[in-house]
């Protein structure tokens, strides 16, 4: 990892957050801006982001809809970003974009790397009541709440061990 870009080398996904850290609205905007400039199939941009800062009314409505596993740590993050995927892309003649999930994932990756460059860490998660959050947010048909990203300053040390990956030989057929 030593010769990777710093944002990649330093990235990891915390589960303990500094509850004194507050993310200002202009920083939230910078994060969404990074996601917005991500590439997508046919420039379809099949994504919407719903942001809730710790203490917001919306934040309070999302917390009960998290699974117990995520409710232990996600509420302490400075920001929750609900990542919504448009499987049906308006303004096109596509019934659905076969790349919608791919594109959303890439835009979330852009957002998390922008976060790193701002000294912020992220943990994406799926541990929530999807139907409940879609109802709560009034998500239109054909759109799907795919994941949530918790963002903030970690309140734990970076794990020195335990982060494992498949080997380079396994992921790279050469
Ligand atoms: C699509 C997706 C879903 C995830 N869901 C959860 C989850 O429900 N709960 C959780 O604690 N972490 C979740 N994670 C975080 C992963 O477990 C974590 O990224 C992985 O273990 C690698 O660790 P690292 O990000 O620190 O390298 C999810 C990550 C992704 C990308």
């Amino acid at each position: 990892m030593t010769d990777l870009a710093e944002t990649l080398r330093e990235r990891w996904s915390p589960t303990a957050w500094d509850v004194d850290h507050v993310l200002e609205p202009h920083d939230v905007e910078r994060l969404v801006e990074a996601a917005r400039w991500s590439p997508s199939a046919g420039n379809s941009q099949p994504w919407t982001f719903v942001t809730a800062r710790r203490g917001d009314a919306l934040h309070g409505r999302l917390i009960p809809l998290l699974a117990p596993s995520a409710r232990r740590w996600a509420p302490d993050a400075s920001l929750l970003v609900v990542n919504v995927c448009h499987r049906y892309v308006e303004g096109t003649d596509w019934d659905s974009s076969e790349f919608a999930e791919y594109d959303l994932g890439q835009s979330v990756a852009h957002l998390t790397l922008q976060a790193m460059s701002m000294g912020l860490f992220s943990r994406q998660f799926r541990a929530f009541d999807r139907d409940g959050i879609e109802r709560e947010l009034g998500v239109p048909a054909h759109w799907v709440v795919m994941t949530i990203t918790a963002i903030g300053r970690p309140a734990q040390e970076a794990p020195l061990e335990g982060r494992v990956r498949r080997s380079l030989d396994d992921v790279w057929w050469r």
Side-chain angles (χ1 to χ4, degrees), residues 25-170:
H26 64 267
D27 285 331
V28 177
E29 186 173 323
R30 280 169 81 194
L31 294 172
V32 178
E33 188 69 348
R36 191 168 78 91
W37 281 100
S38 171
S40 60
N43 203 19
S44 51
Q45 307 167 60
W47 47 61
T48 290
F49 304 95
V50 182
T51 61
R53 295 190 303 153
R54 192 182 54 248
D56 284 355
L58 176 59
H59 189 265
R61 282 160 45 209
L62 291 176
I63 299 309
L65 298 167
L66 304 184
S69 61
R71 220 178 298 147
R72 280 198 292 273
W73 54 267
D76 287 345
S78 310
L79 179 73
L80 296 176
V81 182
V82 182
N83 303 311
V84 184
C85 182
H86 305 194
R87 286 207 168 123
Y88 166 78
V89 183
E90 276 179 66
T92 72
D93 56 2
W94 308 346
D95 184 35
S96 69
S97 167
E98 67 175 305
F99 298 110
E101 289 93 342
Y102 181 100
D103 291 339
L104 174 68
Q106 183 158 215
S107 69
V108 173
H110 280 223
L111 186 153
T112 61
L113 295 179
Q114 174 64 35
M116 284 297 298
S117 78
M118 294 159 62
L120 300 166
F121 285 70
S122 309
R123 187 176 188 97
Q124 302 168 49
F125 64 98
R126 163 61 183 99
F128 53 80
D129 170 1
R130 173 178 276 157
D131 292 343
I133 291 191
E134 288 177 352
R135 263 196 309 276
E136 187 65 37
L137 298 179
V139 170
H142 306 295
W143 294 18
V144 180
V145 170
M146 192 63 62
T147 50
I148 298 177
T149 312
I151 301 175
R153 293 257 168 84
Q156 63 192 139
E157 295 298 316
L160 293 176
E161 52 193 45
R163 288 181 70 234
V164 289
R165 290 298 190 266
R166 291 165 54 205
S167 71
L168 197 56
D169 285 337
D170 194 27

